[in-house]
Amino acid sequence: MESGSGAWSPYLVGTLIGLLSMATFYFSNKPLSVSTAYARLAGLVGNLFSRSHRESLKYYQETKPKIEWGVMLVFGMLLGACIAAVTGGEFTAAWVPHLWEHRFGPDLALRLGTAFVGGAITAYGARLAGGCTSGHGISGALQLSVSSWIALACFFAGAVATAHLLYRP
Amino acid sequence: MSTPLTPPPENAPPVLVIPAPAHEQSETADAGKPDSTRQLVLGLLFGVVFGFLLQKGGVARYEVLMGQFLLTDFTVIKVMLTAIIVGMIGIFSLRALGLVELHVKPTRYAANIAGGLLFGVGLGLLGYCPGTGVAALGQGSYDAIAGILGLLAGSYLYAETSGFLGATIQKIGNRGRIMLPDLLGMRFAVFLAVFVPALVLGLFLIAQLAP
């Protein structure tokens, strides 16, 4: 049943991510989640400018900017994806995705600017909602969190609307 | 020596411990501190596996994520739904054995909805999630660098406004760590006995309609 767009079947990958999730709960007492790591790293960058101001922010009184499990998870993901791409002959080395170029042209500034703004909105939304595609979408949903199923539905609603506005004018 | 029904000695290990069904409080700060060396190494290892799987599944590609939102490629939903089903059965089984505790996220209706919609809009523009963005960079999709810088900026911007948000939108519909069975007044086991097969059926239908 090869019905995905990746090198491996989506059902195999999904099953392995489900098992990985069990492992993180059992060995680390942690659900898989990614977006908080960005906030911790952003706080560390904020320390370089004004540590006292950063420490005054309510969010950082609850979530300390430091290198911990979740930040190491993100570093590991970078490495793991690189290993998978290189060994699978799928390393792309491209600045503009094909689909984007086909619709908006090869202008690098337009793509990077949109990605930056999109990233900023994504992170703000993730913090407000309390998680991202991993923390809410997989880990929260599989624990039957009410918030996660609401957030997951809203993720898709917002993204489907935006994607259609971009690609089906 | 011959009495058949002697109670176990005082120092015998508990044979079967049934965990209390109360909802565990998240973030129990104890032995496994998230910045202990053991946890840092485990985090890195789990990350390598997670990133490897996201790349192999194809979900770190811009075309695949956008294809999901344009409803032309259902790879992302297939991966997520399969992970949710396997993880759900696994985590609740481990919990029944007393081996893991849950980390249910708090429900704040207004913040979950507003934040979720914002996240979706950002996702449509970026074309990568916070997780798949890292994996995208790992596979050489360099536009993810701008996305990652944006994610860092947006996170800091949120912190800047967190005092205001905490006093306003996060108070609306604040229900605590509620779970779907609570909402319906059902017992966990009964809910799972209905919900898991429903999710499997949903996955089966998606596989049929969008092979």
Side-chain angles (χ1 to χ4, degrees):
Chain A
M1 201 154 44
E2 282 301 326
S3 58
S5 297
W8 290 5
S9 152
Y11 308 109
L12 172 63
V13 170
T15 300
L16 293 174
I17 291 176
L19 295 174
L20 175 66
S21 178
M22 291 170 67
T24 65
F25 266 86
Y26 182 76
F27 291 105
S28 290
N29 192 23
K30 289 269 183 192
L32 279 177
S33 62
V34 172
S35 58
T36 306
Y38 285 92
R40 291 191 202 273
L41 288 170
L44 290 177
V45 176
N47 280 351
L48 301 177
F49 294 94
S50 171
R51 191 184 177 105
S52 59
H53 174 70
R54 196 278 299 158
E55 284 174 342
S56 73
L57 301 174
K58 178 176 179 286
Y59 177 75
Y60 285 126
Q61 286 157 13
E62 297 149 10
T63 307
K64 300 296 178 198
K66 62 179 176 188
I67 306 291
E68 45 69 80
W69 187 87
V71 174
M72 294 304 284
L73 185 85
V74 169
F75 292 153
M77 289 171 73
L78 184 64
L79 186 61
C82 192
I83 294 170
V86 170
T87 57
E90 289 191 316
F91 196 82
T92 48
W95 281 93
V96 180
H98 292 304
L99 180 65
W100 176 278
E101 186 169 350
H102 187 255
R103 173 76 179 81
F104 299 103
D107 184 11
L108 187 58
L110 182 64
R111 172 56 193 152
L112 297 189
T114 307
F116 182 86
V117 172
I121 297 172
T122 300
Y124 196 92
R127 290 280 54 77
L128 185 56
C132 64
T133 328
S134 307
H136 265 319
I138 294 177
S139 304
L142 69 83
Q143 294 182 81
L144 308 174
S145 278
V146 172
S147 55
S148 300
W149 285 92
I150 293 172
L152 188 51
C154 292
F155 293 170
F156 266 91
V160 166
T162 307
H164 280 80
L165 281 173
L166 282 180
Y167 283 93
R168 305 224 175 126
Chain B
M1 176 122 187
S2 60
T3 44
L5 285 171
T6 43
E10 283 294 309
N11 60 350
V15 179
L16 180 64
V17 178
I18 309 285
H23 301 173
E24 291 85 350
Q25 280 298 310
S26 184
E27 301 293 333
T28 44
D30 47 37
K33 277 194 188 301
D35 54 357
S36 68
T37 307
R38 176 177 180 273
Q39 285 284 56
L40 293 179
V41 172
L42 281 175
L44 188 72
L45 290 177
F46 289 138
V48 169
V49 176
F50 195 25
F52 189 92
L53 291 174
L54 291 176
Q55 201 286 329
K56 285 295 183 197
V59 293
R61 279 169 53 201
Y62 178 84
E63 284 76 13
V64 175
L65 196 63
M66 293 307 285
Q68 179 62 72
F69 301 137
L70 293 169
L71 307 177
T72 55
D73 182 333
F74 283 74
T75 306
V76 173
I77 284 191
K78 288 173 189 167
V79 169
M80 287 186 69
L81 203 46
T82 308
I84 288 171
I85 292 166
V86 172
M88 192 177 286
I89 297 168
I91 296 296
F92 281 95
S93 301
L94 290 175
R95 182 174 174 276
L97 296 168
L99 296 174
V100 300
E101 58 185 64
L102 298 184
H103 298 276
V104 177
K105 286 178 179 286
T107 292
R108 301 182 177 99
Y109 285 125
N112 293 144
I113 292 170
L117 290 173
L118 264 182
F119 183 91
V121 170
L123 206 52
L125 293 171
L126 173 55
Y128 306 114
C129 310
T132 61
V134 179
L137 176 57
Q139 72 179 8
S141 304
Y142 298 132
D143 54 329
I145 295 170
I148 288 168
L149 293 175
L151 286 160
L152 292 169
S155 299
Y156 200 83
L157 187 65
Y158 174 83
E160 287 283 349
T161 57
S162 56
F164 170 76
L165 294 167
T168 52
I169 188 170
Q170 291 188 330
K171 288 189 170 171
I172 305 169
N174 186 354
R175 297 285 306 276
R177 298 176 191 279
I178 52 169
M179 298 167 68
L180 294 175
D182 301 327
L183 217 53
L184 301 169
M186 290 169 79
R187 294 182 53 197
F188 272 22
V190 177
F191 181 83
L192 285 170
V194 177
F195 196 55
V196 170
L199 292 178
V200 173
L201 181 64
L203 183 60
F204 182 76
L205 288 176
I206 289 168
Q208 292 296 309
L209 296 173

